[in-house]
Amino acid sequence: MTQPTPTPGIHHVTCIAGDPQENLDFWAETLGLRLVKRSINQDDPSTYHLFFADAEGTPGTSMTFFPWADVAAGKVGTGQVARTAFRVPAGSLGYWEDRFADHGVDDGERFERFGEPVLPFRDPDGLPVELVGVEIPEDDPTVPWTAFVPETAAIRGFHSVTLWLADPDPSMELLETMGFEEVGVEQGRADTPGDERTRFAAPGTVGRYVDVLPTIEGGRQGRGTVHHVAFQTPTDADQEAMRAAVRSAGLRPTSQIDRHWFRSVYFREFGGVLFELATNGPGYASDEPLEDLGGRLVLPGRFADRREEIEGNLPDVTVPRAEAVDTDAEADD
Ligand code: ZN
């Protein structure tokens, strides 16, 4: 069997939230990501699908949510993406600690992992998230969005996801099939249940790490948990080759599904985590101009001619407006 082209890394992460306004306020204003797409859950058009990313919706930067106001709280556990980490410029974690204090964010103590500083926190639904300080290369593919956070501290796409798995071996083999390489092992921390963390790296720049923690910790999907993680398969040919490899490994990937801004294949990996393979195109700017991203409700394909009905069933939300940011703000440590 021919090896598929390695995935460059994570494409997007999709989560379950509660109140859509709280979700918007936190992710667009407190964290300063750009709302690049305001759409609906294509399986449940009475629910929003909100996409937050960098300034241009670069692959590897989008965190997306299904906000269900009445959904029960979930519990992070085995068989899930248990932590989602974002890159921020090295030296900016002090800025973030101050910002989190100002905004009353539930954050933890800064610590070091694989030589990088990590700041853990939770969003309003209890979703565990981390910021990791990294050197941002000159030619970084991400474009910072500076409406609420200065460029010196702005989030620059995903750093990693951490999978909690009962029996990690088959999943680790799958990651290697997908193009990740094991790059290190580190002892776990007291605040996570696994005692040994194995890190895998893909060849890309953004979202290139997947960490695996072996642990048995009962979880359930709901508010404050990750629904699935998508990996980049830039072209249809890359995706088809990856799909074939995943199938040969004994999994059952779906056929390609058109998700309007990218094309997707889904499968549950051996440990129970829902994985997606997503193409890089057509992209979030394919149906509204770059400068207007997220400005209006976008209804893809068959939903387009039901606008009045769909809008009437969605809760009203206000998108946070940009404030003037002092771009000279010092990023300190
Ligand atoms: Zn997805």
Side-chain angles (χ1 to χ4, degrees):
M1 189 193 71
T2 53
Q3 266 313 101
T5 307
T7 177
I10 297 165
H11 182 283
H12 66 269
V13 174
T14 295
C15 309
I16 299 171
D19 181 67
Q21 187 66 58
E22 262 184 26
N23 181 256
L24 263 170
D25 289 346
F26 186 82
W27 285 88
E29 185 170 349
T30 307
L31 294 184
L33 293 181
R34 183 177 190 189
L35 177 70
V36 292
K37 200 60 66 181
R38 185 164 17 142
S39 190
I40 49 162
N41 181 337
Q42 294 180 33
D43 301 316
D44 170 15
S46 67
T47 305
Y48 283 111
H49 192 181
L50 303 175
F51 296 70
F52 303 94
D54 73 348
E56 297 189 355
T58 307
T61 68
S62 57
M63 184 74 161
T64 93
F65 291 89
F66 298 128
W68 276 294
D70 300 323
V71 76
K75 183 174 182 298
V76 174
T78 299
Q80 294 180 15
V81 172
R83 297 288 184 272
T84 305
F86 292 90
R87 306 155 78 225
V88 293
S92 69
L93 289 186
Y95 168 91
W96 285 104
E97 284 165 336
D98 292 346
R99 187 171 180 83
F100 287 170
D102 288 347
H103 287 76
V105 175
D106 174 15
D107 64 346
E109 289 291 313
R110 202 196 293 198
F111 62 90
E112 215 168 87
R113 177 193 290 150
F114 293 110
E116 295 170 327
V118 180
L119 178 62
F121 63 100
R122 289 176 185 268
D123 88 344
D125 292 302
L127 180 79
V129 195
E130 298 168 336
L131 297 180
V132 184
V134 301
E135 293 298 335
I136 306 292
E138 199 73 35
D139 60 348
D140 199 73
T142 68
V143 182
W145 179 245
T146 56
F148 292 100
V149 172
E151 180 169 351
T152 48
I155 288 175
R156 305 295 289 267
F158 293 107
H159 176 275
S160 55
V161 290
T162 299
L163 312 180
W164 286 4
L165 301 169
D167 172 20
D169 286 350
S171 304
M172 298 205 286
E173 228 169 274
L174 174 70
L175 288 170
E176 285 174 343
T177 300
M178 292 172 63
F180 286 89
E181 270 180 45
E182 186 182 323
V183 291
V185 175
E186 198 176 275
Q187 287 313 298
R189 285 168 42 81
D191 62 353
T192 52
D195 58 1
E196 198 175 78
R197 171 183 295 264
T198 306
R199 172 158 290 182
F200 291 82
T205 308
V206 187
R208 62 183 300 234
Y209 297 116
V210 174
D211 288 1
V212 171
L213 268 178
T215 180
I216 303 168
E217 178 82 14
R220 75 179 166 271
Q221 200 152 79
R223 181 161 46 81
T225 61
V226 172
H227 186 267
H228 65 267
V229 54
F231 296 96
Q232 296 175 46
T233 45
T235 68
D236 288 326
D238 294 334
Q239 185 176 70
E240 186 46 42
M242 189 71 82
R243 183 176 177 276
V246 161
R247 224 175 128 139
S248 300
L251 293 165
R252 301 172 62 94
T254 64
S255 301
Q256 189 186 64
I257 298 171
D258 184 359
R259 289 304 189 192
H260 193 63
W261 304 287
F262 39 83
R263 291 176 292 280
S264 301
V265 167
Y266 300 84
F267 57 95
R268 215 165 270 286
E269 59 81 48
F270 296 105
V273 184
L274 186 58
F275 276 14
E276 174 182 345
L277 308 173
T279 57
N280 282 358
Y284 298 121
S286 61
D287 59 0
E288 49 185 352
L290 189 59
E291 60 271 23
D292 296 338
L293 290 184
R296 65 187 181 100
L297 181 73
V298 175
L299 297 175
R302 64 198 162 97
F303 298 103
D305 50 9
R306 291 171 53 195
R307 176 168 289 273
E308 206 171 319
E309 170 210 340
I310 289 171
E311 281 186 333
N313 287 329
L314 285 166
D316 283 335
V317 292
T318 308
V319 178
R321 283 208 333 241
E323 66 198 31
V325 166
D326 176 7
T327 48
D328 296 327
E330 282 292 302
D332 58 48
D333 217 36

